[in-house]
Amino acid sequence: MAYEQPVLETRNLSIHFGGHKAVNDVSCQFHRGTLTTIVGPNGAGKTTWFNLLSGQLRASHGKVLLHGEDLTSMSASARADKGLGRAFQLTNLFPGLSALENVRLAVASQHHTGHVFWQVSARRRDIADRAYELLQTVSLAHRADNLVANLPHGDQRKLEVALLLALEPEVFMFDEPTAGMSVDEVPVILELIAEIKARKDKVVLLVEHKMDVVRSLSDRIVVLHNGELVADGEPAEVIASPVVQEAYLGATQGEAS
Amino acid sequence: MLANLLSGDYPRSRILMVILAIIMGILAFGPFLFPGVRAFSMMGMICVFIILVASYDLMLGYTHIVSFAHTMFFGIGAYGVAMATASWGKGFDAVLLGAAGAMVVTVVLALLLGLLSLRVKAIFFALVTLAVAFAFLSLVTQLYPITGGEDGMRVHVPRELGPAFRPLDDTLAGFSLPDAFAALLGNTSWQEVFFEVRITGRTLMYYVAFGASVLVFLFLLRVVNSPFGKVLQAIRENEFRAQALGYNTVLYRTAVVVLSALLACLAGVLFALINRYVNPENTLAFELMVFILLMCVMGGMGTLYGSVIGVTLFLLAQNYLQDLLKLLVEQLPPDSALAHLVGPERWLLWFGLLFVLSVYFFPSGVVGQLRLWAARSPRTSNTPEAVDTDEPRTQYR
Ligand SMILES: Nc1ncnc2c1ncn2[C@@H]1O[C@H](COP(=O)(O)OP(=O)(O)OP(=O)(O)O)[C@@H](O)[C@H]1O
Ligand SMILES: [Mg+2]
């Protein structure tokens, strides 16, 4: 596996905000069919690293490569087109549109129909059906016509995941997908992530704090601390390593079950 | 059929539907319902301004792009026709050439504006359009030999669209609404109500403008309900996320600016033909730009139907508020402070007050408010969220 060409790679990736190095010299490779969990205390730079990967932020140094192609200077939309899909930690949707419309926008992007101005969007059966199916997948079908602004937080989190699924990317980036969800909603999302992993042809990156989730899902754990990559390897081994015990688990004892 | 024409986007309020039907009916039979020249020219202006304001709403209401250059494109269309007919004479070829030339200039300018400044912050785009529009205004004012400067230009419309052209030998019968109203009150006899309508080239021109207005409006309804239109709304709601979904938002925004500018240019062409006189004040002035903004906001941004309402309300006020104030003044003791305050020349002051009140009480515009009421009333079960359901809404058919 390790000899296969990586799908996604960051090389010496860094970003500085003023003097603060939020991500510092991170080099890492991600291979097809693997689920990598990124852990680290609050403010470690996990979200910032995701932003550098998906193009919301531009790197100060270093490169982002997808199948060896340099994406570093590409815009977020171009990267999404290339197959880097992203769900956000802080819910980031289209509040004035219905839940179905939100998903339809993502499906339309994946189908490249955004330029079509002569057809009524709701009558594009291919897109509407797929969008509805995705709402069912995250068990939100009953909310299809509700404005997103009126949805409870947990439903918005699920919608966030539905949008990512709609893009059918090659690389899935989940940033704390289950944060703020009620206990009965969490398994739905984890099940979806496990399904993507089971397909074996995608790269999944997951930022997650809940250690039981991390243990059961991950093929590999990467630990960030103060913007630096401090540990990387098999879950059991990483969790046991002294650097993690001190840097991460020590800091968030409560969550380390 | 209706669903198809309206692209599934219904007024979603009974009151609104009735008002729209009345406006539509009056505009469709206008020359046969109002004998006066004044009402006739106002209805022509309503048709032109519906195109102008609806296309502005596409930018402002649906995409949240603030542009102050909309009148510039309107003026380009109007001056294009005026200048072409001034040099090539009154023929349809001159009109078409002028319109085509204006469209080319419009596309180039709109593309430049869009690509150069939509990348940066919204406020910057607004300021650039303001600067460009002012530069254009002063250019037109100063190029006296070509544009007539402040004096403006007479438009040589083709004979077939002018007052001298009589396609029919006979006159047709008209039914005067104002006189019918007076007869109802017992002020005139019912014989007075019928009047003779002579069809001239101006009547034909009116129907050209009316037809164009209906077509453009239906086209825009289709656009805002298409996948493209939904991307525009996504950009309005959360541009950052639209990009993360893979939409190149700068391209979309540029496309909207170009489309909207083209329609403003078309409105300008129609304006020149129907008004037969263009000058900087009636096509390019900043005041006109503010009026467009007012009409858009008052009717309800991001609803398209709002532009019809806003235009009609505004032009009615502009044309008849002065008369109303004059009537009021006559009732008041002459030379009193109050009489000065309601002097007809102060109509804009009163209109401003009406505008402030309407925005205060109807923050989402007339259409937004009517829809809100409709959604609250128990008679209609449709929630405002249920915008996109495919089911036919029988109550509107
Ligand atoms: N745009 C920005 N400007 C300045 N500082 C920033 C910016 N974005 C992130 N930071 C800083 O970078 C550091 C890393 O933040 P980041 O959000 O990546 O952490 P995180 O690992 O995702 O934390 P959490 O677990 O709380 O989500 C923080 O100190 C944050 O304040
Ligand atoms: Mg984070």
Side-chain angles (χ1 to χ4, degrees), chain A residues 92 96 105 109 121 145 160, chain B residues 225 237-238 241 245 247 385:
Chain A
N92 192 350
L105 277 161
S109 171
S121 144
D145 288 334
E160 186 72 52
Chain B
N225 287 289
E237 294 292 321
N238 188 346
R241 186 54 195 260
L245 287 183
Y247 292 113
E385 291 96 327

Side-chain angles (χ1 to χ4, degrees), chain B residues 194-370:
Chain B
F194 293 93
F195 68 103
E196 289 187 341
V197 184
R198 182 168 288 289
I199 303 295
T200 69
R202 301 209 67 185
T203 326
L204 298 184
M205 185 54 224
Y206 171 77
Y207 278 105
V208 170
F210 173 70
S213 179
V214 171
L215 285 180
V216 167
F217 187 80
L218 293 178
F219 168 72
L220 283 175
L221 262 187
R222 175 56 57 98
V223 168
V224 301
N225 287 289
S226 70
F228 175 74
K230 295 300 176 182
V231 178
L232 302 186
Q233 288 163 61
I235 292 173
R236 172 188 74 190
E237 294 292 321
N238 188 346
E239 177 163 9
F240 175 82
R241 186 54 195 260
Q243 285 167 346
L245 287 183
Y247 292 113
N248 185 340
T249 56
V250 173
L251 274 189
Y252 281 87
R253 274 140 51 90
T254 305
V256 163
V257 168
V258 172
L259 175 60
S260 155
L262 270 175
L263 293 174
C265 176
L266 171 69
V269 168
L270 294 170
F271 175 81
L273 291 174
I274 209 164
N275 197 52
R276 297 186 298 157
Y277 171 64
V278 300
N279 67 8
E281 202 190 329
N282 67 14
T283 56
L284 293 166
F286 190 65
E287 194 184 51
L288 186 67
M289 189 59 243
V290 174
F291 288 167
I292 293 173
L293 203 73
L294 291 189
M295 293 185 237
C296 197
V297 171
M298 196 167 58
M301 286 194 297
T303 63
L304 275 190
Y305 289 110
S307 53
V308 177
I309 305 287
V311 165
T312 311
L313 280 180
F314 184 90
L315 290 180
L316 274 175
Q318 192 179 36
N319 281 283
Y320 296 106
L321 199 59
Q322 302 190 35
D323 294 359
L324 205 72
L325 292 173
K326 213 179 282 171
L327 280 178
L328 255 175
V329 170
E330 283 160 14
Q331 310 300 316
L332 292 168
D335 267 340
S336 66
L338 203 59
H340 278 294
L341 203 60
V342 297
E345 67 282 358
R346 303 223 197 289
W347 77 273
L348 203 54
L349 172 78
W350 291 103
F351 181 79
L353 197 68
L354 284 179
F355 176 77
V356 170
L357 287 177
S358 93
V359 170
Y360 185 78
F361 289 108
F362 307 149
S364 48
V366 175
V367 170
Q369 194 63 33
L370 288 174

Side-chain angles (χ1 to χ4, degrees), chain A residues 21-77:
Chain A
K21 293 174 179 168
V23 170
N24 192 9
D25 203 26
V26 174
S27 297
C28 202
Q29 299 187 339
F30 303 99
H31 292 266
R32 183 179 309 283
T34 60
L35 189 153
T36 308
T37 304
I38 295 137
V39 297
N42 292 75
K46 307 179 294 291
T47 300
T48 307
W49 192 22
F50 269 16
N51 283 337
L52 291 171
L53 285 171
S54 56
Q56 271 75 32
L57 290 173
R58 297 296 164 86
S60 311
H61 301 288
K63 283 181 179 173
V64 176
L65 305 169
L66 185 72
H67 293 295
E69 184 187 2
D70 190 351
L71 304 185
T72 319
S73 58
M74 282 190 192
S75 67
S77 62

Side-chain angles (χ1 to χ4, degrees), chain B residues 138-193:
Chain B
S138 61
L139 191 74
V140 168
T141 321
Q142 270 153 34
L143 284 179
Y144 188 86
I146 311 172
T147 63
E150 302 272 5
D151 299 342
M153 304 176 79
R154 199 148 275 301
V155 182
H156 304 276
V157 298
R159 203 183 83 84
E160 287 79 358
L161 299 177
F165 181 64
R166 304 271 158 91
L168 302 177
D169 292 334
D170 298 328
T171 58
L172 300 177
F175 179 85
S176 162
L177 279 188
D179 288 321
F181 189 64
L184 268 182
L185 296 176
N187 291 345
T188 45
S189 69
W190 281 98
Q191 277 86 32
E192 303 280 309
V193 169

